[in-house]
Amino acid sequence: MSETKNITVHLKVWRQKRNEKKGRFESYTVKDVSTDSSFLEMLDLLNEDLTKSGKEPLEFDSDCREGICGTCGLVINGVAHGPQQAIATCQLHMRKFKDGETLTIEPFRAKPFTPIKDLIVDRSAFDRIISKGGYVSTNAGSPQDANAILIPKKNSDLAMDAASCIGCGACVAACPNASASLFTSAKISQYALLPQGQPEATRRASQMVDQMDLEGFGNCSNHGECEAVCPKQITIANIARMRREFFKAALRS
Amino acid sequence: MALTSSMLFSSVGKKLLNAVSGLTLLGFILAHLIGNLTLLTGNSDAFNAYGHFLIHKTGVLLYVFEYGLIVFFLLHIITAVSVWWDQQVARPTSYKKTASGGDTSKKTLSSTTMIYTGALILVFAIMHLITFKYGPAEAQGYTTIVDGVEMRDLYRLSIEVFLKPGYLIWYIIANALLGLHIRHGFWSAFQSLGLNHPRCTPILYKLGIVVALIMGFGFVVIPAYIYFKGGVL
Ligand code: HEM
């Protein structure tokens, strides 16, 4: 373990007022940041300073602060969720940065992610994609016997991997095309691999892809940046599965 | 109902068409490269006979291939430009700073320049057709006799063209760009077709580099050989 110390960081932060068309970068310096503190705690410190000096605090999203809710998300020095792999922004610690370093902080940028304020963007496009089939609409009834439906271990593992998507939007933020393919493919894959997902598989694949396109996300060019920034390490093998599901749907419908 | 046009032109459908057409074009240029190797035999009859075979012995098949190629080329360009255009629209405010997430990312110089390398391939293809297909023929005295049949002397034309250093340089540049296009294009096409497998995909990814190198250098070796041998093979 590296020793705890206090560092100073310089920030270039995107600020955008509510209903303002264009934002701008503002520079701040945050002193005495413990390297044990999280990135968001560092921003909390900034907000304390701003509040004390009568300025408008910086708005950013966060909720659980333990990497499971998918609420937080910032682009730090050009990388969604910052320089460390397989974590959400809230799990990033200041020990990853050097004393005196300048950090550029931007919101997740994509046309469907409309800016709300400062670093907060509207990610309800994801909810609308889910609403087109990211669920199973059978009446579950009372609990079934364990193993009443047999599922190969490999499939249940892959389905669980896909289901670990927390919908943070980092895939869109990191994609050079602002494509939502990784998100949508995870939500399709988690059912495509399980028997319970089969009755609605056709409708699910075609309608969720349609909605993804309607929202105005870009196409997938297979750059694979999404996989590299995903806090849950969802792989682009899911995107290939989404495509197969879509082709199957096209042939069946 | 099967495949509807809206499905084909959805984000997933577009990439399917782009991949199928891209792989078809790749198949074509591979065959083209192998055919051109007859130039290196130094036997003018071999190359001319090959050209003669394609033009006069394949019958209607030649037109099927020619028009098919045009259709796939256009399909590739239309879907490619559409993918590229969507991407311009999908991020109205660009990032001040961008960096790669690293790790498993497959973002490379190749993957981010597809539209530019593609556009230059198009320019190259048009100029290439002007030089050869619509270049000097029998009327300009480029005739030869192979197996007792009079035909266009494509061998002479090829040698003459590649003795000009400007052509050689242009071919080196254009084919390097083709190689760059294929470096990402090859594995990406399989991914677009939904073909991803934990064991095969890493192999395809590496194979793409090999194919890119073969394409990039293969088409340069021929003109370079002609140039440095002074046309006497
Ligand atoms: C001999 C000529 C060509 C070959 C062999 C070729 C091959 C390929 C292949 C295999 C792909 C991958 C498809 C995929 O990602 O699914 C591709 C993608 C692409 N090609 Fe070509 N191509 C050629 C010509 C062109 C031309 C003339 C353009 C002109 C605009 C072009 C633009 C593109 C673009 C922009 C992409 C990437 C699409 C994306 O971002 O997803 N290509 N090409």
Side-chain angles (χ1 to χ4, degrees):
Chain A
M1 277 306 282
S2 61
E3 252 174 78
T4 307
K5 52 177 185 176
N6 283 4
I7 59 170
T8 298
V9 285
H10 307 288
L11 309 179
K12 275 203 172 69
V13 190
W14 182 260
R15 306 253 7 205
Q16 184 166 4
K17 293 205 179 78
R18 221 172 255 277
N19 300 324
E20 200 182 25
K21 282 245 156 42
K22 275 188 75 158
R24 79 218 79 82
F25 284 94
E26 301 265 346
S27 298
Y28 304 101
T29 296
V30 191
K31 293 197 180 108
D32 271 337
V33 184
S34 161
T35 48
D36 278 349
S37 66
S38 76
F39 194 84
L40 297 184
E41 282 165 345
M42 181 273 293
L43 293 180
D44 292 339
L45 283 180
L46 168 68
N47 276 345
E48 276 177 28
D49 289 351
L50 288 175
T51 312
K52 275 184 212 153
S53 55
K55 292 192 191 121
E56 181 121 353
L58 176 73
E59 300 265 355
F60 58 91
D61 259 334
S62 81
D63 193 3
C64 76
R65 296 211 179 188
E66 53 181 336
I68 55 172
C69 75
T71 308
C72 65
L74 302 171
V75 173
I76 303 159
N77 284 343
V79 181
H81 290 315
Q84 193 180 340
Q85 239 112 37
I87 54 157
T89 303
C90 61
Q91 296 165 288
L92 180 65
H93 283 82
M94 291 309 292
R95 65 181 76 97
K96 286 276 156 191
F97 302 99
K98 288 197 270 309
D99 194 18
E101 197 172 339
T102 301
L103 311 175
T104 306
I105 309 173
E106 299 176 73
F108 284 0
R109 298 191 194 277
K111 184 159 170 268
F113 286 177
T114 39
I116 294 177
K117 191 179 177 192
D118 294 339
L119 300 167
I120 302 182
V121 297
D122 180 359
R123 284 168 289 180
S124 57
F126 273 12
D127 301 332
R128 289 187 292 275
I129 294 174
I130 295 272
S131 75
K132 292 293 171 176
Y135 49 79
V136 173
S137 46
T138 42
N139 191 343
S142 49
Q144 279 186 320
D145 283 347
N147 296 331
I149 302 172
L150 297 177
I151 299 167
K153 169 90 170 96
K154 189 173 145 236
N155 285 6
S156 75
D157 284 353
L158 288 172
M160 268 312 283
D161 288 349
S164 66
C165 167
I166 52 177
C168 64
C171 45
V172 174
C175 177
N177 302 5
S179 163
S181 291
L182 193 67
F183 166 78
T184 310
S185 73
K187 299 303 175 195
I188 289 175
S189 284
Q190 63 186 9
Y191 298 111
L193 288 152
L194 299 177
Q196 292 89 338
Q198 298 318 306
E200 292 163 299
T202 303
R203 201 190 52 147
R204 177 177 304 114
S206 63
Q207 294 191 357
M208 286 178 77
V209 168
D210 276 355
Q211 189 63 33
M212 171 175 85
D213 293 352
L214 265 174
E215 296 289 344
F217 291 105
N219 286 258
C220 169
S221 290
N222 306 325
H223 294 290
E225 271 297 311
C226 50
E227 180 180 314
V229 300
C230 177
K232 300 298 159 189
Q233 298 180 294
I234 311 270
T235 69
I236 57 172
N238 290 292
I239 298 182
R241 186 177 297 104
M242 169 176 80
R243 287 168 170 156
R244 293 198 297 276
E245 289 294 310
F246 185 82
F247 301 148
K248 270 194 265 174
L251 294 172
R252 274 196 210 133
S253 63
Chain B
M1 185 170 92
L3 278 173
T4 64
S5 60
S6 70
M7 273 175 154
L8 276 179
F9 284 93
S10 67
S11 59
V12 175
K14 262 190 285 200
K15 284 292 299 189
L16 170 74
L17 296 177
N18 186 254
V20 170
S21 56
L23 285 180
T24 309
L25 292 175
L26 182 62
F28 161 71
I29 54 169
L30 247 161
H32 191 9
L33 176 63
I34 294 168
N36 282 10
L37 289 177
T38 53
L39 258 173
L40 290 186
T41 58
N43 174 358
S44 59
D45 287 358
F47 186 64
N48 278 323
Y50 162 63
H52 182 67
F53 166 78
L54 287 184
I55 297 167
H56 298 290
K57 298 278 170 67
T58 45
V60 70
L61 215 59
L62 179 71
Y63 292 97
V64 174
F65 272 85
E66 247 181 12
Y67 289 113
L69 209 55
I70 293 173
V71 168
F72 278 116
F73 215 79
L74 289 177
L75 197 59
H76 190 73
I77 295 170
I78 292 166
T79 50
V81 170
S82 163
V83 167
W84 173 80
W85 178 250
D86 286 351
Q87 131 198 1
Q88 307 307 303
V89 180
R91 180 163 291 136
T93 315
S94 48
Y95 288 109
K96 181 185 174 74
K97 211 167 168 181
T98 46
S100 174
D103 194 35
T104 57
S105 174
K106 292 180 170 59
K107 189 171 112 181
T108 53
L109 174 68
S110 168
S111 77
T112 47
T113 54
M114 295 299 273
I115 192 76
Y116 308 111
T117 49
L120 280 157
I121 293 169
L122 178 62
V123 173
F124 174 80
I126 292 170
M127 290 179 63
H128 185 65
L129 284 178
I130 294 171
T131 310
F132 289 100
K133 190 172 166 66
Y134 301 105
E138 288 93 334
Q140 286 77 28
Y142 282 69
T143 49
T144 182
I145 292 170
V146 179
D147 292 335
V149 189
E150 196 183 81
M151 61 183 70
R152 183 179 175 197
D153 195 352
L154 280 163
Y155 183 81
R156 180 180 149 201
L157 177 61
S158 307
I159 301 286
E160 280 178 8
V161 165
F162 293 130
L163 282 177
K164 296 178 190 145
Y167 268 97
L168 181 64
I169 293 167
W170 169 229
Y171 268 64
I172 292 174
I173 295 171
N175 286 294
L177 295 175
L178 175 67
L180 200 60
H181 197 80
I182 292 167
R183 188 252 184 272
H184 176 73
F186 186 77
W187 93 272
S188 173
F190 292 95
Q191 171 76 6
S192 300
L193 296 172
L195 303 174
N196 183 306
H197 184 271
R199 246 174 302 136
C200 302
T201 302
I203 298 173
L204 282 175
Y205 190 68
K206 291 202 185 88
L207 191 62
I209 300 174
V210 176
V211 177
L213 287 173
I214 292 175
M215 286 308 178
F217 284 106
F219 276 114
V220 169
V221 163
I222 298 169
Y225 187 71
I226 293 173
Y227 181 79
F228 289 110
K229 290 280 241 172
V232 193
L233 306 186

